[in-house]
Amino acid sequence: MARQPRLYAEGYAQLISVDFSESTQRSLQSFDSQPYPELLNWLGRLAPLHQVAVHGWAVTPRSMVILATPEASSSLPSLVQALGRNLAAQLRSGSVFAGRYHSTIPQPGLWVLPSLIWLELHPVREKLVEDAESWPWSSARTHTGAPGAMYSWLQPHPDYWLCGNTPFDRQANYRRKLSEGLPSASDRQISTCLRGQWALGDERFMADLQKTATRRVQPGVRGRPKKQ
C-alpha cells in the first residue's frame, strides 16, 4: 500500500509523534541519559534552520512528541530527519526511529491547548512520573513557570497566551489545567486523530481546512456510495 501523503496546511500547528527503535529506547532508559539534553540542544538549534516554530515537546524512552508550526510542507519532515541523523551519530547506531512520525492538525481555539496538555502529560501516561512537572525532558515546566526551565527557542502558541494577561496568570492557569488533565473522551480523540493522521476539529474547521490542506483532512465514509 502506498504511503499516505503528509497532512499540511499553511499557518497551522501540528502535533507529531515518532516512536523510537528498540535500541534507542534502551539508550534512553536512564532519566539522566546524555541523549536527552543533546536532543533538546538539537531541537532548539535545528528548528529555526528548518523554519519550524516549536510550541511544546516531550521526550521519553519510547517516543518524542512535538507541537509546532511549520512554515512549509517540508519543514517538519526535514527537522525530524535532522534530529534522527544527529541522534544516530550520538548513539552510533542505525535507525533511531521505529517508522515514520504521525501527525494531526488541531483546531486553534478549541484543540491546540488540549493537544499541548496531552503532549506534556505523555510521561505521566507512560507511568514515568506522577505529574507532568516532575519530568525534566518536556516543555511543561516552562509553561508552568517552574524555576530553571526556560528555553529561549520555545515559542508559546497564541492559545497559550490566552490563559492569562500576565506571565504569572498564564502560568498559574495553565498549571491548573495541566493538573486537571483532559476528559477521557478528549484524550482518546487526540490519540485517534494522531495515529490516523487526520485533522482534529469541528465540521466548520474541517471544511475550511480542506480548502488549503495537502490532502483529505478526515476519513471518508466507509462502504460503497449509495445508488441514486
Side-chain angles (χ1 to χ4, degrees):
M1 182 181 294
R3 286 182 174 180
Q4 187 169 234
R6 292 292 187 192
L7 178 59
Y8 170 79
E10 185 177 357
Y12 288 98
Q14 291 191 33
L15 176 66
I16 73 168
S17 175
V18 58
D19 294 332
F20 290 121
S21 65
E22 290 185 5
S23 61
T24 305
Q25 290 184 35
R26 287 193 294 270
S27 299
L28 294 173
Q29 285 302 314
S30 174
F31 290 2
D32 58 354
S33 175
Q34 182 62 27
Y36 284 111
E38 290 286 3
L39 264 173
L40 302 190
N41 289 334
W42 297 328
L43 182 59
R45 178 171 55 86
L46 294 171
L49 296 179
H50 293 279
Q51 299 180 307
V52 175
V54 178
H55 310 306
W57 48 268
V59 182
T60 70
R62 293 183 181 178
S63 59
M64 175 173 62
V65 192
I66 299 173
L67 179 68
T69 300
E71 290 191 17
S73 59
S74 61
S75 296
L76 275 173
S78 61
L79 172 61
V80 174
Q81 290 170 6
L83 291 171
R85 287 193 298 268
N86 280 269
L87 186 55
Q90 170 77 21
L91 300 178
R92 298 181 181 179
S93 64
S95 177
V96 298
F97 297 132
R100 305 173 81 204
Y101 71 79
H102 293 77
S103 65
T104 179
I105 297 179
Q107 180 177 349
L110 184 63
W111 281 105
V112 167
L113 201 63
S115 294
L116 182 62
I117 293 171
W118 182 91
L119 176 159
E120 292 178 349
L121 287 173
H122 186 49
V124 179
R125 285 193 302 275
E126 290 194 3
K127 301 186 185 305
L128 297 170
V129 288
E130 293 185 359
D131 62 274
E133 287 183 282
S134 296
W135 184 250
W137 312 119
S138 83
S139 54
R141 292 180 176 182
T142 301
H143 286 129
T144 61
M150 299 303 296
Y151 293 89
S152 59
W153 47 265
L154 186 68
Q155 301 183 39
H157 190 275
D159 284 15
Y160 171 78
W161 288 97
L162 296 177
C163 288
N165 293 323
T166 67
F168 178 81
D169 287 342
R170 284 190 293 272
Q171 292 162 0
N173 288 330
Y174 184 78
R175 184 184 300 110
R176 176 180 52 79
K177 293 176 182 293
L178 188 62
S179 177
E180 292 173 351
L182 298 173
S184 57
S186 298
D187 191 291
R188 287 194 301 270
Q189 191 165 353
I190 293 172
S191 298
T192 299
C193 289
L194 180 61
R195 283 297 169 183
Q197 304 198 77
W198 303 110
L200 178 61
D202 58 27
E203 292 185 5
R204 181 174 180 178
F205 172 72
M206 294 294 196
D208 289 341
L209 186 65
Q210 190 62 72
K211 298 174 184 177
T212 59
T214 52
R215 64 164 173 81
R216 181 189 291 273
V217 301
Q218 56 186 332
V221 178
R222 292 186 177 183
R224 295 180 179 180
K226 295 181 179 180
K227 293 183 178 181
Q228 298 296 323

